[in-house]
Amino acid sequence: MKIVAAKEVEVGERRVALVPETVARLVKQGLEVWVEAGAGEQSFFYDTAYEAAGAKIISEPETLWREADILLKVGIPQEREVDLLREGAVLIGFLNPLGQPTLVQRLSERQVTAFSIEMIPRTSRAQSMDALSSQASVAGYQAVLIAAAALPKYFPMLTTAAGTIAPAKVFVMGAGVAGLQAIATARRLGAVVEAFDIRPAVKEEVQSLGAKFVEVQLQEETVAAGGYAKEISEAAKQRTQEVVGEHVKQSDVVITTAQVPGRKAPLLVTQEMVAQMKPGSVIVDLAAEQGGNCACTEAGRDVQWNGVTIIGPINLPSSVPIHASQLYSKNLATLVQYIVKDNTLKLDFEDDIIKAACITHAGEVRNSRVRDAIEALSNQQAVS
Ligand code: NAD
């Protein structure tokens, strides 16, 4: 079987789907690996390293897409690329199926077997394929570094001959994978850290990282199936804002990471809260691409508001391309090893991982949420 890693064409995407170390592992298992020339350049993995690991370097992208048995990508492919894939080929990447119904329809028409890596279940069994986690962790780390660089203060406490510097106060909102990594990173830099999440279960994890957990007593269930957060009522949102507002006001840095799967990001930091922050304070909003947790956030921009800097970064994992690619590559290789046995594709649709992550197969859109999104799109097109 030919396992193929294509070059990313999206502007600003520096990651690569396979790194040489993973290529060597796949080759050792008897798989043939092709890598597009220059695919790893932006993440400092050069063609020579891929060749040394046993990959064949392919210069013509058309050949690569046409001949692939399993094509690995980071971001979504372009339509012309999808049209090159042969019937029955497998495509794996962050395909954003709910946001890209047209692409999914095309993949199904082309009889491509597409795996959307963000649909891998968040279970212990699937942990080593969980690219949402591996990449969120990179984002959480990088968010703190961005905040530290933008903050006109030290992070750690310092006792010097010229006086004592108080440590920075960091408030992390949303203590999922990115939030926990942000807490750990801010603590390592010497900040005093507080954190908040509507899922009470994370309290112990927050405390074990040396941060204080800010508690909000809500009279409703906040956890949905799979351990994810649920969208909360208006009353609960208001209660939350009252409590967290006080902590935002006192913080030098606020890092927001709160998300509810399939929904716009919840608004946690209002304009009034930003207005009460000290001049020079910094907010890094990791939910910027999903609408933002802060009312002042603009995705992809740094906004100055009343002396507060609000940063809405896009695709943070791409800014740490070596390690983000290394982790992502491991996630993909584990999935490849899961679906390829004895050099043959073996898909068991009773298996929960395959059932969840395979979005198109044999001309069929297999995921019901994705099917609904496609239906909504065609209804919309019929109306207009
Ligand atoms: P996410 O990116 O969807 O959300 C980030 C955090 O925001 C979550 O902790 C969520 O509770 C929080 N949040 C949502 N609304 C909020 C609000 N209004 N106020 C404050 N916080 C809010 O989450 P994620 O990091 O992808 O992880 C979510 C879940 O998946 C967690 O339960 C995590 O333990 C679980 N998970 C399990 C595994 C595994 O078992 N292998 C792996 C990864 C994640």
Side-chain angles (χ1 to χ4, degrees):
M1 289 201 86
K2 272 191 218 74
I3 316 295
V4 170
K7 190 171 171 168
E8 299 302 312
V9 286
E10 184 82 11
V11 178
E13 183 53 79
R14 297 179 58 194
R15 290 170 292 175
V16 60
L18 276 186
V19 303
E21 186 191 339
T22 325
V23 168
R25 200 167 309 148
L26 293 172
V27 168
K28 206 168 159 194
Q29 280 158 18
L31 297 165
E32 190 177 343
V33 181
W34 286 13
V35 175
E36 187 170 343
E41 228 160 63
Q42 299 249 36
S43 38
F44 307 96
F45 298 110
Y46 300 128
D47 291 352
T48 45
Y50 285 104
E51 273 173 325
K56 188 168 161 191
I57 301 295
I58 307 290
S59 304
E60 307 80 35
E62 287 76 18
T63 312
L64 188 109
W65 282 83
R66 249 188 220 116
E67 302 272 323
D69 291 310
I70 299 186
L71 196 132
L72 306 176
K73 284 256 316 141
V74 178
I76 57 169
Q78 298 190 329
E79 200 177 315
R80 62 175 173 80
E81 293 173 326
V82 171
D83 288 350
L84 291 169
L85 285 171
R86 64 165 183 79
E87 217 173 88
V90 175
L91 171 70
I92 309 178
F94 277 111
L95 303 179
N96 183 17
L98 297 175
Q100 297 285 340
T102 316
L103 166 73
V104 179
Q105 200 158 17
R106 191 89 196 119
L107 287 166
S108 124
E109 281 162 11
R110 300 272 319 144
Q111 310 258 338
V112 170
T113 298
F115 281 85
S116 187
I117 198 79
E118 58 270 72
M119 307 293 257
I120 292 277
R122 313 296 288 277
T123 56
S124 311
R125 208 163 70 83
Q127 219 165 8
S128 51
M129 307 172 205
D130 182 356
L132 275 184
S133 285
S134 69
Q135 305 303 293
S137 177
V138 176
Y141 164 82
Q142 190 69 348
V144 174
L145 299 192
I146 289 175
L151 186 72
K153 287 184 169 184
Y154 273 121
F155 255 46
M157 187 183 107
L158 292 178
T159 309
T160 79
T164 301
I165 301 283
K169 288 187 181 155
V170 174
F171 186 28
V172 176
M173 303 173 88
V177 180
L180 291 171
Q181 187 57 254
I183 295 170
T185 309
R187 288 284 300 137
R188 279 183 215 120
L189 284 177
V192 171
V193 184
E194 292 184 324
F196 161 69
D197 197 296
I198 50 166
R199 291 182 299 119
V202 297
K203 179 179 174 179
E204 275 174 31
E205 281 176 277
V206 166
Q207 288 173 335
S208 72
L209 291 170
K212 186 177 156 221
F213 188 67
V214 172
E215 295 206 48
V216 182
Q217 303 291 346
L218 296 177
Q219 308 301 324
E220 62 188 54
E221 187 50 73
T222 56
V223 185
Y228 279 111
K230 234 176 157 168
E231 183 151 38
I232 52 174
S233 66
E234 281 310 313
K237 279 182 195 163
Q238 198 149 358
R239 169 91 192 102
T240 302
Q241 287 182 359
E242 279 163 19
V243 178
V244 300
E246 277 309 303
H247 295 266
V248 169
K249 202 161 79 182
Q250 288 158 18
S251 302
D252 298 299
V253 168
V254 174
I255 307 228
T256 66
T257 76
Q259 310 235 15
V260 177
R263 306 277 167 141
K264 188 175 175 291
L267 177 66
L268 302 179
V269 183
T270 61
Q271 265 189 10
E272 293 72 41
M273 291 183 203
V274 178
Q276 290 179 348
M277 290 178 82
K278 293 179 287 253
S281 303
V282 175
I283 299 174
V284 178
D285 189 346
L286 285 193
E289 283 174 273
Q290 282 72 40
N293 290 143
C294 172
C296 305
T297 300
E298 288 182 37
R301 295 197 51 205
D302 294 3
V303 177
Q304 295 291 333
W305 212 84
N306 262 6
V308 177
T309 305
I310 301 110
I311 303 171
I314 286 178
N315 195 2
L316 270 190
S318 172
S319 63
V320 191
I322 293 184
H323 281 152
S325 302
Q326 185 184 319
L327 298 170
Y328 183 65
S329 172
K330 179 75 197 307
N331 295 143
L332 291 195
T334 311
L335 177 57
V336 167
Q337 284 156 348
Y338 197 70
I339 59 173
V340 176
K341 304 272 181 296
D342 301 324
N343 237 324
T344 321
L345 188 66
K346 295 254 165 67
L347 296 178
D348 169 11
F349 285 103
E350 294 304 309
D351 179 279
D352 65 323
I353 299 174
I354 292 171
K355 202 159 137 188
C358 182
I359 54 164
T360 64
H361 176 68
E364 209 192 314
V365 177
R366 297 195 56 89
N367 184 295
S368 60
R369 279 164 68 210
V370 180
R371 265 200 308 272
D372 291 347
I374 293 175
E375 208 166 296
L377 181 80
S378 51
N379 290 342
Q380 222 173 15
Q381 283 165 346
V383 171
S384 57

